[in-house]
Amino acid sequence: MKNLDWSPKRWLRLTLPPILIIVWLLVAGLGGPTFGKISEVSTNDQASFLPASAESTAAREWQLKFVDSNAIPAVVLLTSTEALTSEQLGQIATLPKKLSAVSGVQKPEAPATTSVAGPIPSEDKKAVEFLVPISGTDEVKSVVDELRNVLQSSAPGGVSIYVTGPAGLTADLVNAFGGIDGILLLVALIAVFVILLVVYRSVVLPLLVLFTSVVALCASIVVIYYMASWDWIKLSGQSQGILSILVIGAATDYSLLLVARFREALHQVQSKWAALGRAMRGAWEPIVASGSTVILAMLCLLFSDLNSNRSLGPIAAIGILFSLVAALTCLPALLVAFGRGAFWPFKPKMDANHANKHADHGTHGMSVEKTDAVEHGLAGVGGIWRRIGLLIARRPRITWVVTLVLLLAASSGILQLQANGVSQTEVILGQSNAVDGQRALAEHFAGGSGSPVLIIADQNSKDQILVAVKDTEGITEASIYTGNGRPDVAAEPVVKEGRVLINATLADQADSSAAEQVVVELRKQLPQVDSTVLVGGVSAIALDTNLTAQSDLFKIVPLVLLVILVVLILLLRSIVAPLLLIGSVVLSYIATMGVSALVFNHVFDFPGADATVPLFGFVFLVALGVDYNIFLMTRVREESLLMGTHAGILRGLGKTGGVITSAGVVLAATFAALGIIPLLFLAQLAFIVAFGVLLDTVIVRTLLVPALTYDIGNRVWWPSKRTFGGLNPFENSPRSSDSQPVAQPSVEPER
């Protein structure tokens, strides 16, 4: 038998590992400081993620022509349980000058005036509001913090103070993302380290794998930071958090597959270089195929109309690319540098009889031809994976039918999924002064106060449009913009290029579903008066975001499935097997969303789900879920070519079961770490991906796919013309091929 084990020259063995390790250390040195600066190029402005074709985007561009500013309004609210006294009102009257003096608050054109509108008292005399324009969105958090500090020191006693509105909510959203830079990454790394420590019972190996993951993240951060600073992509706190988790999880998964192959090879050969060569030959193809599948699936998001989705595509693809490169360059260098010491204190020892250790156990109760396949397929396999293999060999059809019924039952819950968007006040799960302020605002003022609907209309039809707006249910008042802080019927309206701006105050909170319905009604009625009218504002932005997200779901899902199907066909040289795998991950996704809907509605009592949740859940679960099927089926195909399909399925399942389960647990744990950020979207995505990965790992990949493949037999490889175990793949008696002896491992001296 020809020896194909890798034996590089001595100079290469001495120089290549340290060079690769030094290169990745330099990358980590660049990425570390950049990681702390990436929030500088991140934005959480919802309007910036809308497509240019959205009506609210066009309305916003026209609004800037009128106000000539990128100011974002903050609503300062002071409330009391009793009617405000004259003394309190006197102190409140001094606040505009103090608020306008805060750095970042838009300055008035006339020095003697103030840009702060107010005080505006409520009808019940228990509250007063101010409208404070904040210049730009880059420093909203610091400006809002300073406004709150001024109110704390200057507001009269006995009142509650809030800074809310679009600026206050944006600032609290930024605060909610504050854990991404450090806490999120720390939690994810600790979770991965503990899992690897338990699985491998080694202190060294988890550190090598984590180092590989961290340097992959550092490389990703550097590239993404500069792409965002050059304005090539839009980076949000949400994308930043997903990137960290995705890179750590994916890099660890790819590393575990290579580690499993390396440890297996160390039982067969003495030389660590020969073991690495065997590991790379067995692992590179599924790792590259898995990484390519995820990269292509993420790049499908470039076809999204929602800029936030489109931006996440290249961000996630870059993260997966560096995860792939690090797993195939950095980790091999570390493994060959440490050798068997990487698994200390349980170093793997070479065992020439390792492959046949379990060949004669557990096959009672089967026919002779089945026993041949099981003996060879489960040779060297023990524990739970041997028992699962025996179950599949004895009852393949019952196994996959039962699991299919369970998954279909779980899928029925998807009918209860409420993914039509939620109000911005419900996005933040933790304590928020702005959210509390919005609720207090609705008690004393019109709910949409401070966040009006913006209508851009032709100046010749302004009076008719104004009447139509005022007559619309859900609008409390409306006025044509005159350039003043408060409506002035005596002033002349501001006209820009033949158009006027109308501000309409909503009865309900601007980000509520009721407010969005008012926008729908305005867009239906107003074009009958003026065909060029545009309806924008906070409510319109939320509506257009939800509609675009729902449209993206039906566009992106077929693209992702097609891309994954093509990759699987090229990888497995088959059509039946890829279709089977695609069907299994889609079913796993639907079952996951069904269970998630029930948990969200009846356990966590969430108000609903963001409209982008189904799409993000699909992309991550399908792209990452198919990874495990790739790990399994590439090994099954490799073994089937040697010993036949039935034995190959059992051998592939037994050899990959432990590593895939470990990888699934690691990925689930890393995504679950997103739950520490008090945001509804990330909490829901954390549960969906964590539960879905575990469901796919424990049920779909362990039982459904192997049992169904076993039941189909050789025809699963159609239309491949390769022979499996010495027979044509379409012959009906594959079991006789399973008697082919297993090649004995070679024994070489350590180099």
Side-chain angles (χ1 to χ4, degrees), residues 457-534:
D458 189 285
Q459 65 172 332
N460 297 321
S461 58
K462 65 180 184 300
D463 294 329
Q464 299 97 308
I465 290 290
L466 183 60
V467 170
V469 171
K470 288 182 176 180
D471 290 342
T472 302
E473 186 177 355
I475 298 292
T476 61
E477 60 178 344
S479 61
I480 300 176
Y481 179 70
T482 61
N484 299 323
R486 300 182 66 175
D488 185 354
V489 294
E492 288 295 319
V494 176
V495 179
K496 297 290 185 180
E497 300 178 24
R499 293 196 171 194
V500 297
L501 169 64
I502 297 175
N503 292 316
T505 303
L506 292 156
D508 297 289
Q509 289 187 31
D511 56 355
S512 65
S513 58
E516 291 179 20
Q517 193 56 44
V518 173
V519 173
V520 172
E521 187 63 26
L522 289 172
R523 287 177 174 177
K524 184 189 300 182
Q525 299 296 332
L526 298 186
Q528 299 176 19
V529 181
D530 176 8
S531 60
T532 65
V533 72
L534 296 172

Coordinates of all heavy atoms in Angstrom, one line a residue, residues 457-534:
A457 N -46.0 68.3 0.4 CA -47.1 68.5 -0.6 C -46.8 69.6 -1.5 O -46.1 70.6 -1.2 CB -48.4 68.7 0.2
D458 N -47.5 69.7 -2.7 CA -47.4 70.8 -3.6 C -48.1 72.0 -2.9 O -49.1 71.9 -2.3 CB -48.2 70.4 -4.9 CG -48.0 71.4 -6.0 OD1 -48.6 72.5 -5.9 OD2 -47.2 71.2 -6.9
Q459 N -47.4 73.2 -3.1 CA -47.9 74.4 -2.4 C -49.3 74.8 -2.9 O -50.1 75.4 -2.2 CB -46.9 75.5 -2.6 CG -46.8 76.0 -4.1 CD -46.0 77.3 -4.2 OE1 -45.9 78.1 -3.3 NE2 -45.3 77.4 -5.3
N460 N -49.7 74.4 -4.2 CA -51.0 74.8 -4.7 C -52.1 74.0 -4.1 O -53.3 74.4 -4.2 CB -51.0 74.6 -6.2 CG -50.0 75.5 -6.9 OD1 -49.8 76.7 -6.6 ND2 -49.3 75.0 -7.9
S461 N -51.8 72.8 -3.5 CA -52.8 72.0 -2.9 C -52.7 71.9 -1.4 O -53.2 71.0 -0.7 CB -52.8 70.6 -3.5 OG -51.5 70.0 -3.4
K462 N -51.9 72.8 -0.8 CA -51.5 72.7 0.6 C -52.8 72.8 1.5 O -52.9 72.1 2.5 CB -50.5 73.8 1.0 CG -51.0 75.2 0.9 CD -49.8 76.2 1.3 CE -50.3 77.6 1.3 NZ -50.8 78.1 0.0
D463 N -53.7 73.7 1.2 CA -54.9 73.9 2.0 C -55.8 72.6 2.0 O -56.3 72.2 3.1 CB -55.7 75.1 1.6 CG -54.9 76.4 1.8 OD1 -54.1 76.4 2.7 OD2 -55.1 77.3 1.0
Q464 N -56.0 72.0 0.8 CA -56.8 70.8 0.7 C -56.1 69.6 1.5 O -56.8 68.9 2.2 CB -57.0 70.4 -0.7 CG -57.8 71.5 -1.5 CD -56.8 72.4 -2.3 OE1 -55.9 72.9 -1.7 NE2 -57.1 72.5 -3.6
I465 N -54.8 69.6 1.3 CA -54.0 68.5 2.0 C -54.1 68.7 3.5 O -54.3 67.7 4.3 CB -52.5 68.5 1.6 CG1 -52.4 68.0 0.1 CG2 -51.7 67.6 2.5 CD1 -52.7 66.5 -0.1
L466 N -54.0 69.9 4.0 CA -54.0 70.2 5.4 C -55.4 69.8 6.0 O -55.5 69.2 7.1 CB -53.8 71.7 5.7 CG -53.7 72.1 7.2 CD1 -52.6 71.4 7.9 CD2 -53.5 73.6 7.3
V467 N -56.5 70.1 5.3 CA -57.8 69.7 5.7 C -57.9 68.2 5.8 O -58.5 67.6 6.7 CB -58.9 70.3 4.8 CG1 -60.3 69.7 5.1 CG2 -58.9 71.8 4.9
A468 N -57.4 67.5 4.7 CA -57.5 66.1 4.6 C -56.8 65.4 5.8 O -57.2 64.4 6.3 CB -57.0 65.6 3.3
V469 N -55.6 66.0 6.1 CA -54.8 65.4 7.2 C -55.5 65.6 8.5 O -55.6 64.7 9.3 CB -53.4 66.1 7.2 CG1 -52.7 65.7 8.5 CG2 -52.6 65.8 6.0
K470 N -56.1 66.8 8.8 CA -56.8 67.0 10.0 C -58.0 66.1 10.2 O -58.4 65.8 11.3 CB -57.2 68.5 10.1 CG -56.0 69.5 10.3 CD -56.5 70.9 10.5 CE -55.4 71.8 10.8 NZ -55.8 73.3 10.9
D471 N -58.6 65.8 9.1 CA -59.8 64.9 9.1 C -59.5 63.5 9.3 O -60.4 62.6 9.4 CB -60.6 65.2 7.8 CG -61.3 66.5 7.8 OD1 -61.4 67.2 8.9 OD2 -61.7 67.0 6.7
T472 N -58.2 63.1 9.2 CA -57.8 61.7 9.3 C -57.9 61.2 10.7 O -57.3 61.9 11.6 CB -56.4 61.5 8.7 OG1 -56.4 61.9 7.4 CG2 -56.0 60.0 8.8
E473 N -58.5 60.1 11.0 CA -58.6 59.6 12.3 C -57.2 59.2 12.8 O -56.5 58.5 12.1 CB -59.6 58.4 12.4 CG -59.8 57.8 13.8 CD -60.8 56.7 13.8 OE1 -61.3 56.3 12.7 OE2 -61.0 56.1 14.8
G474 N -56.9 59.6 14.1 CA -55.6 59.3 14.6 C -54.7 60.5 14.6 O -53.6 60.5 15.2
I475 N -55.1 61.6 13.9 CA -54.3 62.9 13.9 C -55.0 63.9 14.8 O -56.2 64.2 14.7 CB -54.3 63.4 12.5 CG1 -53.6 62.5 11.5 CG2 -53.6 64.8 12.5 CD1 -52.1 62.3 11.8
T476 N -54.3 64.4 15.8 CA -54.8 65.4 16.7 C -54.7 66.8 16.3 O -55.6 67.6 16.6 CB -54.2 65.2 18.1 OG1 -52.8 65.5 18.0 CG2 -54.4 63.8 18.7
E477 N -53.6 67.1 15.6 CA -53.5 68.5 15.0 C -52.5 68.4 13.9 O -51.7 67.5 13.8 CB -53.0 69.5 16.1 CG -51.7 69.1 16.7 CD -51.2 70.1 17.8 OE1 -51.8 71.2 17.7 OE2 -50.3 69.8 18.5
A478 N -52.5 69.4 13.0 CA -51.6 69.5 11.9 C -51.4 71.0 11.5 O -52.3 71.8 11.7 CB -52.2 68.7 10.7
S479 N -50.2 71.3 11.0 CA -49.9 72.7 10.6 C -48.9 72.7 9.6 O -48.0 71.8 9.5 CB -49.4 73.5 11.9 OG -48.3 72.9 12.4
I480 N -48.9 73.8 8.8 CA -47.9 73.9 7.7 C -46.6 74.6 8.4 O -46.7 75.5 9.1 CB -48.4 74.8 6.6 CG1 -49.7 74.1 6.0 CG2 -47.4 75.0 5.5 CD1 -50.3 75.0 4.9
Y481 N -45.5 74.1 8.0 CA -44.2 74.5 8.6 C -43.9 75.9 8.1 O -43.9 76.3 6.9 CB -43.1 73.6 8.2 CG -41.7 74.0 8.7 CD1 -41.4 73.9 10.0 CD2 -40.7 74.5 7.8 CE1 -40.1 74.2 10.5 CE2 -39.5 74.8 8.3 CZ -39.2 74.7 9.6 OH -38.0 75.1 10.1
T482 N -43.7 76.8 9.1 CA -43.4 78.2 8.8 C -42.0 78.7 9.2 O -41.6 79.8 9.1 CB -44.4 79.1 9.6 OG1 -44.3 78.9 11.0 CG2 -45.8 78.8 9.2
G483 N -41.2 77.7 9.7 CA -39.8 78.0 10.1 C -39.7 78.3 11.6 O -38.6 78.5 12.1
N484 N -40.8 78.4 12.3 CA -40.8 78.7 13.7 C -40.8 77.4 14.5 O -41.2 76.3 14.1 CB -42.0 79.6 14.1 CG -42.0 80.9 13.4 OD1 -40.9 81.5 13.2 ND2 -43.2 81.4 13.0
G485 N -40.4 77.5 15.8 CA -40.4 76.3 16.7 C -41.8 75.8 16.9 O -42.0 74.6 17.1
R486 N -42.8 76.7 17.0 CA -44.2 76.3 17.2 C -45.1 76.8 16.1 O -44.7 77.8 15.4 CB -44.6 76.9 18.6 CG -43.8 76.4 19.7 CD -44.3 76.9 21.1 NE -45.6 76.3 21.4 CZ -46.2 76.6 22.6 NH1 -45.7 77.3 23.5 NH2 -47.4 76.0 22.8
P487 N -46.2 76.2 15.8 CA -47.1 76.6 14.7 C -47.5 78.1 14.9 O -47.8 78.6 16.0 CB -48.3 75.7 14.9 CG -47.8 74.5 15.6 CD -46.7 75.0 16.6
D488 N -47.5 78.8 13.8 CA -47.9 80.2 13.7 C -48.7 80.4 12.5 O -48.2 80.5 11.4 CB -46.6 81.1 13.7 CG -47.0 82.6 13.8 OD1 -48.2 82.9 13.8 OD2 -46.1 83.4 13.9
V489 N -50.1 80.5 12.7 CA -51.0 80.6 11.6 C -50.8 81.9 10.8 O -51.1 82.1 9.6 CB -52.4 80.5 12.0 CG1 -52.7 79.1 12.6 CG2 -52.8 81.6 13.1
A490 N -50.2 83.0 11.5 CA -50.0 84.3 10.9 C -48.8 84.3 10.0 O -48.7 85.2 9.1 CB -49.9 85.4 11.9
A491 N -47.9 83.4 10.2 CA -46.6 83.4 9.4 C -46.8 82.7 8.1 O -47.7 81.9 7.9 CB -45.5 82.7 10.2
E492 N -46.0 83.2 7.1 CA -46.0 82.6 5.8 C -45.4 81.2 5.8 O -44.3 81.0 6.4 CB -45.3 83.5 4.8 CG -46.0 84.8 4.5 CD -47.3 84.5 3.7 OE1 -47.4 83.6 2.8 OE2 -48.4 85.2 4.0
P493 N -45.9 80.2 5.1 CA -45.3 78.9 5.0 C -44.0 78.9 4.3 O -43.8 79.7 3.4 CB -46.4 78.0 4.3 CG -47.2 79.0 3.5 CD -47.2 80.3 4.3
V494 N -43.1 78.1 4.7 CA -41.8 77.9 4.0 C -42.1 77.1 2.7 O -42.7 76.0 2.8 CB -40.8 77.2 4.9 CG1 -39.5 77.0 4.1 CG2 -40.5 78.1 6.1
V495 N -41.6 77.6 1.6 CA -41.8 76.9 0.3 C -40.4 76.5 -0.3 O -39.6 77.4 -0.4 CB -42.6 77.7 -0.7 CG1 -42.8 77.0 -2.0 CG2 -44.0 78.1 -0.1
K496 N -40.2 75.3 -0.6 CA -39.0 74.8 -1.2 C -39.3 74.1 -2.5 O -40.0 73.1 -2.5 CB -38.2 73.9 -0.3 CG -37.8 74.5 1.0 CD -36.7 75.5 0.8 CE -36.2 76.0 2.2 NZ -35.1 77.0 2.0
E497 N -38.9 74.7 -3.6 CA -39.1 74.1 -5.0 C -40.5 73.8 -5.2 O -40.9 72.7 -5.7 CB -38.2 72.8 -5.1 CG -36.7 73.1 -4.9 CD -35.9 71.8 -5.0 OE1 -36.4 70.8 -5.7 OE2 -34.8 71.8 -4.5
G498 N -41.4 74.7 -4.8 CA -42.8 74.5 -5.0 C -43.5 73.6 -4.1 O -44.7 73.2 -4.3
R499 N -42.9 73.2 -3.0 CA -43.5 72.3 -2.0 C -43.5 72.8 -0.6 O -42.6 73.7 -0.3 CB -42.8 70.9 -2.0 CG -43.0 70.2 -3.4 CD -42.6 68.7 -3.2 NE -43.0 67.9 -4.4 CZ -43.0 66.6 -4.4 NH1 -42.7 65.9 -3.3 NH2 -43.3 66.0 -5.5
V500 N -44.4 72.3 0.2 CA -44.5 72.7 1.6 C -44.4 71.5 2.5 O -44.6 70.4 2.0 CB -45.8 73.5 1.9 CG1 -45.9 74.8 1.1 CG2 -47.0 72.6 1.6
L501 N -44.0 71.8 3.8 CA -43.9 70.7 4.7 C -45.1 70.8 5.8 O -45.3 71.9 6.3 CB -42.6 70.8 5.4 CG -42.4 69.9 6.7 CD1 -42.4 68.4 6.3 CD2 -41.1 70.2 7.4
I502 N -45.8 69.8 6.0 CA -46.9 69.7 6.9 C -46.5 68.8 8.1 O -46.2 67.6 7.8 CB -48.2 69.3 6.3 CG1 -48.6 70.4 5.2 CG2 -49.3 69.2 7.4 CD1 -49.9 70.0 4.5
N503 N -46.6 69.3 9.3 CA -46.3 68.4 10.5 C -47.7 68.0 11.1 O -48.5 68.9 11.4 CB -45.5 69.2 11.5 CG -44.1 69.4 11.1 OD1 -43.5 68.6 10.5 ND2 -43.6 70.7 11.3
A504 N -47.9 66.7 11.3 CA -49.1 66.2 11.9 C -48.8 65.4 13.1 O -48.0 64.5 13.1 CB -49.9 65.4 10.9
T505 N -49.5 65.8 14.2 CA -49.3 65.1 15.5 C -50.2 63.9 15.6 O -51.4 64.0 15.4 CB -49.5 66.0 16.7 OG1 -48.6 67.2 16.5 CG2 -49.2 65.4 18.0
L506 N -49.7 62.8 16.0 CA -50.4 61.5 16.1 C -51.1 61.4 17.5 O -50.5 61.9 18.5 CB -49.5 60.3 15.9 CG -49.0 60.1 14.4 CD1 -47.8 59.3 14.4 CD2 -50.1 59.4 13.6
A507 N -52.2 60.8 17.6 CA -52.8 60.5 18.9 C -52.1 59.4 19.6 O -52.1 59.4 20.9 CB -54.3 60.2 18.7
D508 N -51.5 58.5 18.9 CA -50.8 57.3 19.5 C -49.3 57.5 19.4 O -48.9 58.4 18.6 CB -51.2 56.0 18.7 CG -52.7 55.7 18.9 OD1 -53.1 55.3 20.0 OD2 -53.5 55.9 17.9
Q509 N -48.6 56.7 20.1 CA -47.1 56.8 20.1 C -46.7 56.6 18.6 O -47.2 55.7 17.9 CB -46.5 55.7 20.9 CG -46.7 55.9 22.4 CD -45.9 54.9 23.3 OE1 -44.9 54.4 22.9 NE2 -46.4 54.6 24.5
A510 N -45.7 57.3 18.2 CA -45.2 57.4 16.8 C -44.8 56.0 16.3 O -44.8 55.8 15.1 CB -44.2 58.4 16.7
D511 N -44.3 55.2 17.2 CA -43.7 53.9 16.8 C -44.7 52.7 17.0 O -44.3 51.6 17.0 CB -42.4 53.6 17.4 CG -42.4 53.6 18.9 OD1 -43.5 54.0 19.5 OD2 -41.4 53.3 19.6
S512 N -45.9 53.0 17.3 CA -46.9 52.0 17.5 C -47.5 51.5 16.2 O -47.5 52.2 15.2 CB -48.0 52.5 18.5 OG -48.7 53.5 17.9
S513 N -48.2 50.3 16.3 CA -48.9 49.8 15.1 C -50.0 50.7 14.7 O -50.4 50.8 13.5 CB -49.3 48.4 15.4 OG -50.2 48.3 16.5
A514 N -50.7 51.3 15.7 CA -51.8 52.2 15.4 C -51.3 53.4 14.6 O -52.0 53.9 13.7 CB -52.5 52.7 16.7
A515 N -50.1 54.0 15.0 CA -49.6 55.1 14.2 C -49.2 54.7 12.8 O -49.4 55.4 11.9 CB -48.3 55.6 15.0
E516 N -48.7 53.5 12.7 CA -48.4 53.0 11.3 C -49.6 52.9 10.5 O -49.6 53.1 9.3 CB -47.6 51.7 11.4 CG -46.2 51.7 12.0 CD -45.6 50.4 12.1 OE1 -46.0 49.5 11.4 OE2 -44.6 50.2 12.9
Q517 N -50.7 52.5 11.1 CA -52.0 52.4 10.3 C -52.5 53.7 9.9 O -53.1 53.9 8.8 CB -53.0 51.7 11.2 CG -54.3 51.3 10.4 CD -53.9 50.3 9.3 OE1 -53.1 49.4 9.4 NE2 -54.5 50.6 8.1
V518 N -52.2 54.8 10.7 CA -52.5 56.2 10.3 C -51.8 56.5 9.0 O -52.3 57.2 8.1 CB -52.3 57.2 11.4 CG1 -52.5 58.6 10.9 CG2 -53.2 56.9 12.6
V519 N -50.5 56.2 9.0 CA -49.6 56.4 7.8 C -50.2 55.7 6.6 O -50.3 56.3 5.5 CB -48.2 56.0 8.1 CG1 -47.3 56.1 6.8 CG2 -47.6 56.8 9.2
V520 N -50.6 54.5 6.8 CA -51.2 53.7 5.7 C -52.5 54.5 5.1 O -52.7 54.6 3.9 CB -51.6 52.3 6.1 CG1 -52.4 51.6 5.0 CG2 -50.4 51.5 6.5
E521 N -53.3 55.0 6.0 CA -54.5 55.7 5.6 C -54.2 57.0 4.9 O -54.8 57.3 3.9 CB -55.4 56.0 6.9 CG -56.7 56.5 6.6 CD -57.6 55.6 5.8 OE1 -57.4 54.3 5.9 OE2 -58.5 56.1 5.0
L522 N -53.2 57.7 5.4 CA -52.8 59.0 4.8 C -52.2 58.7 3.4 O -52.5 59.5 2.4 CB -51.7 59.7 5.6 CG -52.2 60.3 6.9 CD1 -51.0 60.8 7.7 CD2 -53.1 61.5 6.7
R523 N -51.5 57.7 3.2 CA -50.9 57.3 1.9 C -52.0 56.9 0.9 O -51.8 56.9 -0.3 CB -49.8 56.3 2.0 CG -48.5 56.8 2.6 CD -47.5 55.7 2.8 NE -46.2 56.2 3.2 CZ -45.2 55.5 3.5 NH1 -45.2 54.1 3.5 NH2 -44.0 56.1 3.9
K524 N -53.1 56.4 1.5 CA -54.2 56.0 0.6 C -55.1 57.2 0.2 O -55.5 57.3 -0.9 CB -55.1 55.0 1.4 CG -56.2 54.4 0.6 CD -57.2 53.6 1.4 CE -56.4 52.4 2.1 NZ -57.4 51.6 2.9
Q525 N -55.3 58.1 1.1 CA -56.2 59.2 0.9 C -55.6 60.5 0.2 O -56.1 61.1 -0.7 CB -56.9 59.7 2.2 CG -57.7 58.6 2.9 CD -58.9 58.2 2.1 OE1 -59.4 59.0 1.4 NE2 -59.3 57.0 2.4
L526 N -54.4 60.9 0.6 CA -53.8 62.1 0.2 C -53.4 62.1 -1.3 O -53.6 63.2 -1.9 CB -52.5 62.4 1.0 CG -52.8 62.7 2.5 CD1 -51.5 63.1 3.2 CD2 -53.9 63.7 2.8
P527 N -53.0 61.0 -1.9 CA -52.7 61.1 -3.4 C -53.9 61.4 -4.2 O -53.8 61.8 -5.4 CB -52.2 59.7 -3.7 CG -51.6 59.2 -2.4 CD -52.5 59.8 -1.3
Q528 N -55.1 61.3 -3.7 CA -56.3 61.7 -4.4 C -56.4 63.2 -4.5 O -57.1 63.7 -5.4 CB -57.6 61.1 -3.7 CG -57.6 59.6 -3.6 CD -58.8 59.1 -2.8 OE1 -59.8 59.8 -2.6 NE2 -58.7 57.9 -2.3
V529 N -55.7 63.9 -3.6 CA -55.7 65.4 -3.7 C -54.4 65.8 -4.4 O -54.5 66.8 -5.2 CB -55.7 66.0 -2.3 CG1 -55.7 67.5 -2.3 CG2 -57.0 65.5 -1.5
D530 N -53.3 65.2 -4.1 CA -52.0 65.6 -4.7 C -51.3 64.3 -5.0 O -50.8 63.6 -4.1 CB -51.2 66.5 -3.7 CG -49.8 66.8 -4.2 OD1 -49.5 66.5 -5.4 OD2 -49.1 67.4 -3.4
S531 N -51.1 64.0 -6.3 CA -50.4 62.7 -6.7 C -49.0 62.7 -6.3 O -48.4 61.6 -6.3 CB -50.6 62.5 -8.2 OG -50.0 63.6 -8.9
T532 N -48.4 63.9 -6.0 CA -46.9 63.9 -5.7 C -46.7 63.9 -4.2 O -45.5 64.0 -3.8 CB -46.3 65.2 -6.3 OG1 -46.8 66.3 -5.7 CG2 -46.5 65.2 -7.8
V533 N -47.7 63.8 -3.4 CA -47.5 63.9 -1.9 C -46.6 62.8 -1.4 O -46.7 61.6 -1.9 CB -48.9 63.9 -1.3 CG1 -49.5 62.5 -1.3 CG2 -48.8 64.4 0.2
L534 N -45.9 63.1 -0.4 CA -45.0 62.1 0.3 C -45.3 62.1 1.8 O -45.5 63.2 2.4 CB -43.5 62.4 0.1 CG -43.0 62.4 -1.3 CD1 -41.6 62.9 -1.4 CD2 -43.0 61.0 -1.9

